[in-house]
Amino acid sequence: MEDNHNMVNESFYFGPKEISAIRKHVQERCTTFELLTACLWKCRTVALEFDPEEIVRLSIIANLRGKKHQNLHIPSGYYGNGFGFPAVTSQAGPVCENSLGYVVELVKKGKSEMSEEYIKSVADLMEIKGQPGTVLKWNFIVSNNTLVGFGEIDFSWGKALCAGPARIAVPICLPEFAWKGSAKS
């Protein structure tokens, strides 16, 4: 992969038409988040021209609050962040060369690791060894904030009437060379 520090930021918008077009490439049942994450991870990995043996990583930031993790017992009155980010790794070659459905299954594997057992195990490990640094090398870090609950927030003048665009906005930052052959050239 070429060493290039000139980074380019671009946002992509996905509405129902775009999601439907991507979904046609996958036979597996999956959520929109899984589909877009797999598609973007695959496209990013291809664009970065990794050596096929290079290890790439997908980290999924997941909220620890809410019904899904209600047995974690986050202390009452604690209003800080509660999140974890399980990761899945692969060589770049299989991510680039296999079908989008293959990459969807990798995304599902990463999401499935976010269990209460996993969270408690990580918390225990951090208590013993301290907080580890986040692996950044070739790590595609994603999060889904569609279920954050912005519509439930009351700033004392009432609940929100609307929040955000009707389409999904996905910001991507890549080295300039990775945009070759795209509309950015």
Side-chain angles (χ1 to χ4, degrees):
M1 187 179 96
E2 192 175 314
D3 183 23
N4 188 325
H5 290 45
N6 296 323
M7 302 299 282
V8 176
N9 292 298
E10 189 70 38
S11 290
F12 296 90
Y13 296 91
F14 297 91
K17 188 170 91 175
E18 292 84 2
I19 299 296
S20 179
I22 297 169
R23 200 171 288 283
K24 289 178 183 176
H25 296 276
V26 178
Q27 294 179 351
E28 297 79 3
R29 291 185 62 126
C30 61
T31 66
T32 300
F33 174 79
E34 292 162 347
L35 181 71
L36 281 179
T37 299
C39 182
L40 292 166
W41 187 29
K42 181 177 178 70
C43 290
R44 175 185 182 267
T45 304
V46 169
L48 289 174
E49 302 173 349
F50 289 113
D51 178 289
E53 304 294 316
E54 185 73 57
I55 299 297
V56 293
R57 172 185 305 261
L58 170 71
S59 293
I60 303 169
I61 299 174
N63 184 6
L64 300 182
R65 297 182 181 276
K67 295 176 187 173
K68 186 175 180 184
H69 301 294
Q70 62 189 2
N71 294 330
L72 288 176
H73 306 294
I74 294 176
S76 178
Y78 176 75
Y79 295 101
N81 293 324
F83 64 90
F85 41 103
V88 63
T89 60
S90 173
Q91 290 181 322
V95 172
C96 295
E97 296 160 11
N98 284 303
S99 70
L100 183 57
Y102 171 84
V103 184
V104 164
E105 292 304 316
L106 290 177
V107 172
K108 287 180 178 183
K109 179 180 182 249
K111 281 180 60 182
S112 72
E113 291 179 7
M114 193 60 170
S115 66
E116 288 182 15
E117 181 181 334
Y118 169 84
I119 296 163
K120 289 176 181 178
S121 174
V122 169
D124 288 344
L125 182 64
M126 288 173 52
E127 182 67 28
I128 295 167
K129 297 204 174 212
Q131 183 172 348
T134 302
V135 175
L136 297 177
K137 184 177 180 185
W138 315 140
N139 194 356
F140 184 47
I141 303 171
V142 298
S143 66
N144 178 358
N145 64 6
T146 60
L147 302 175
V148 168
F150 291 124
E152 302 301 315
I153 297 173
D154 186 340
F155 292 102
S156 76
W157 58 76
K159 293 188 178 189
L161 297 177
C162 65
R167 300 186 319 162
I168 300 167
V170 180
I172 298 286
C173 183
L174 291 171
E176 189 173 44
F177 80 86
W179 293 101
K180 289 178 186 173
S182 74
K184 294 301 293 177
S185 297

